[in-house]
Amino acid sequence: MNKEDLKTLFLILLVCISIFLTKKLWIKIPSEMIPVFKIKEGIGSSYLFSDMLIPDKILLNFSDKNHTLLYSDEKYGLWPGGKMILKKALSEKNYKVSHMKKEEFLKYQNNKSINFYFAEEMNTYILAKALDVKEPNNITERISKVNNIYIYLEKGNPFIIFCNDNTYLKISNLNIQTKVLREILSGIEVGEEYTRYYSIRDTLGSNNDIYIPFEMVNEIPSVFVQNEIRIDNRDEIRMIAEKFFNKNIDYLREIVENNGSTIYIYNQKVLKIHKNGLLEYFSPLDEPVTERNLYISLNTAADFISSHSGPPKEMYLDKIEEIKSDNNLGYKFTFKYRIRGIPLIIGNDEVEDFIQIEVFNKYVKAYKRFVRKDMHVPIYKEAIEQENMLSAFEVIDMNFDLLEERYVEDMGITEDVKIENLNEKIVESIEDISLAYFDPCKKESNEKLIGVWTINIKGRIYVFDVYTGKLIYEKGKV
């Protein structure tokens, strides 16, 4: 064989190897690429739908006197493991079910376990579909809504408890693996870089099962934010309008108001971007909607948010409300989000909430969005506040006279009426206590968020500075 023949053979071998490697590459790539393409095409709602149904808080029980509370799962990845277990439980055919009383459920909090709390009652069937359960079992019928899911993590026979108000449904005899979650909890416990939380029932003797800290271990990071929409950037505003209407700017009617707000109109659809960065979108319904469908509406909301500006990082579903408009039946969904793992509270009375969307099955009638972005401003050690964070217990103690005054006012209690155990009744009435960031919304950019404790009593929301304990914001009964 001469030299030319060897070159030809070598080239043929190279071509064959290239074809082989190319096939190998295309066998691996599509599963990773398809979701990206779907999101860009606006049909990636199944991913977002599942992703937005996330816990509001996660209670970790290490033992009877050792508990902590997480507001974000980004660091430890407990919810992905929990979802795998829930998916298995909601699709299992052979399982045992039993109801239990609250007293028995509370005793289980003394064992190594985890509680996933949701901000809003979650439809169990919708949760199963979001977890991609093809044929949910009848657990979804036995308990139609849940606001807390408990997973027992001690070695032995694992079980799950689905909770809603005073209903506790224990699901056992499941073929589930809890080792991964148990090991994550053990790692957190050994690290001891967490704040210990205690039940109000156990510490103050009140009939309230909320967990609060008595002493803080970690500090809350200093964060500066800016508006997601730069109202002074005309090109950016027009790009947003083009994306909403899927039309070139030349086809849209543009109106610039005297107050600096901009309105875009196409047919009967309207987009308004306010001076403060609030975005509002309105669209008439294409046809009457006489029956609500929560599953379709949630998917529509997920798809719309995905294809219009996208979801903020750590966005979660906070509230579901049934609405009616001209005999059309739909839902209003309220979404919130976290910054650096901490929930965000809005301090702008002109803006009802961060993201709200009105959906009538497959149609979006209204959409509001006011998002603030973390500027990731570097904070140098000498600039960090040296004050220690106050615990929720300390803040309650400092402001109890105020809480009592508002409670008496809200309950319509007159001076001539004596209430026995008033202090205990006030503590029992606490519906929620959360660590959060408060956004004063006074600046378009370089706005420093304030670390706060939020306390909800009988529908009234109090916001206290986490360092001074002073009341900085209050929202009346809703």
Side-chain angles (χ1 to χ4, degrees), residues 53-109:
L53 299 183
I54 59 177
D56 176 46
K57 299 176 185 177
I58 303 175
L59 175 66
L60 307 184
N61 300 314
F62 304 112
S63 61
D64 60 340
K65 291 182 173 59
N66 192 358
H67 317 265
T68 194
L69 196 68
L70 303 178
Y71 295 93
S72 171
D73 189 37
E74 193 173 22
K75 183 176 181 180
Y76 300 111
L78 293 160
W79 180 233
K83 285 197 295 185
M84 292 176 64
I85 292 173
L86 289 174
K87 182 177 180 179
K88 185 73 173 174
L90 291 169
S91 58
E92 191 81 54
K93 300 303 179 186
N94 299 312
Y95 60 88
K96 290 182 180 179
V97 60
S98 60
H99 287 271
M100 66 171 59
K101 293 184 177 180
K102 184 175 184 178
E103 293 73 22
E104 184 181 358
F105 173 72
L106 293 177
K107 288 180 181 178
Y108 278 125
Q109 304 292 356

Side-chain angles (χ1 to χ4, degrees), residues 219-220 222 379-390 448 466-468:
E219 298 296 310
I220 191 168
S222 294
I379 307 296
Y380 300 100
K381 285 186 178 180
E382 55 269 21
I384 297 176
E385 297 176 359
Q386 296 302 310
E387 301 171 275
N388 292 324
M389 283 178 60
L390 297 171
K448 185 178 181 180
V466 79
Y467 289 102
T468 66

